Amino acid sequence: MLTRFPILLVGALLAVPGFASELVCLKTGFCLHADSHTQKGANLRLQVGSGSIEIPPADIAGITSEPSSPANRPEPVKASVANTDPRLLLAEAAEAEGIDADFVRSVARVESGFRPDAVSSKGALGLMQLMPGTAKELAVDPMQARENALGGAKYLRALLLRYHYNSALALAAYNAGPGAVARFGGVPPYAETRNYVLKVTREYDRLRAERARALKAAAMHAPKPGNRDGAEAAEEN
């Protein structure tokens, strides 16, 4: 049974909106990128984009600083009025809820292939494949792409909090419902749900690996401090 995402390339940046400077890894194996953290009562408050999350220190395995690099900067989130690209809508929603955009995008890719008009045989709707009842509880219109993305991100955040950032349980609940997770005491033994958790995990890992390669390539081509690049040297000659 899956109990967590594997931690791939710790220190590589996830595509969270905003410039993250800290990698916060929890004991469940799930990692978040935060702009900063502060003490809030008995908890640590993580600032993630325009949102924040409070986590008990006992749940945190470690916090590491991330190097400043242009490659660490995720794609900018355009103004809401002009933002119609599904991937940017998902990044915007992730920022609003203070969770990792790659995680939200991985779910959307598996759920709908980024299709705002997707409708499943069970009646799930839109980018994040929200059931009408769930969309009503979240107070969003599932046929409006932006609202669908926001609703899905909000629901994912609620599930992550509910399961103490055990991402496999959160995904299982997103697919099969929290009742099934409670009934079986973990990821339900449904083939569909287990395949779903695996697919999202693999997509998430793929995005992590892509970002790690981009970081490595940027580091290889970045000019070293104090050294002149070839163009400057050629001009002087």
Side-chain angles (χ1 to χ4, degrees):
M1 179 183 297
L2 288 175
T3 57
R4 64 181 185 179
F5 277 137
I7 304 177
L8 286 187
L9 304 170
V10 172
L13 183 78
L14 301 179
V16 292
F19 176 54
S21 59
E22 296 177 337
L23 180 71
V24 182
C25 287
L26 309 182
K27 291 180 180 178
T28 62
F30 190 78
C31 294
L32 305 107
H33 287 265
D35 299 310
S36 63
H37 71 275
T38 56
Q39 191 74 29
K40 177 66 174 179
N43 295 330
L44 286 183
R45 173 177 286 178
L46 309 180
Q47 189 65 37
V48 184
S50 63
S52 63
I53 300 172
E54 292 186 15
I55 301 177
D59 292 344
I60 297 175
I63 300 176
T64 57
S65 297
E66 295 186 308
S68 296
S69 167
N72 278 355
R73 296 183 183 275
E75 62 189 39
V77 179
K78 299 179 181 178
S80 295
V81 174
N83 189 355
T84 57
D85 183 278
R87 290 167 180 79
L88 294 180
L89 290 177
L90 293 163
E92 185 182 79
E95 179 180 16
E97 292 302 317
I99 61 175
D100 173 27
D102 278 349
F103 186 58
V104 177
R105 284 173 173 166
S106 296
V107 171
R109 185 180 186 88
V110 173
E111 287 283 358
S112 69
F114 301 124
R115 287 179 51 213
D117 61 346
V119 179
S120 77
S121 59
K122 296 180 181 178
L125 305 169
L127 285 172
M128 299 295 286
Q129 289 290 276
L130 300 177
M131 295 298 292
T134 302
K136 185 175 181 180
E137 291 178 4
L138 294 168
V140 297
D141 181 350
M143 296 312 295
Q144 295 295 321
R146 179 171 288 103
E147 291 193 36
N148 190 293
L150 285 169
K154 183 181 293 186
Y155 190 37
L156 280 173
R157 173 179 171 143
L159 292 173
L160 286 168
L161 289 170
R162 177 171 184 162
Y163 298 111
H164 305 287
Y165 287 89
N166 185 315
S167 48
L169 292 182
L171 289 172
Y174 195 94
N175 177 262
V181 173
R183 186 161 60 253
F184 290 99
V187 177
Y190 308 145
E192 177 189 337
T193 300
R194 292 193 170 187
N195 287 336
Y196 175 82
V197 173
L198 281 172
K199 286 179 181 178
V200 176
T201 301
R202 287 168 179 162
E203 176 61 14
Y204 180 76
D205 290 349
R206 185 186 69 80
L207 293 177
R208 287 290 302 266
E210 282 186 357
R211 197 160 298 279
R213 286 194 294 270
L215 283 170
K216 184 177 179 180
M220 290 177 62
H221 293 93
K224 295 181 180 180
N227 288 346
R228 295 175 301 176
D229 60 26
E232 291 177 336
E235 287 179 1
E236 292 187 2
N237 290 335

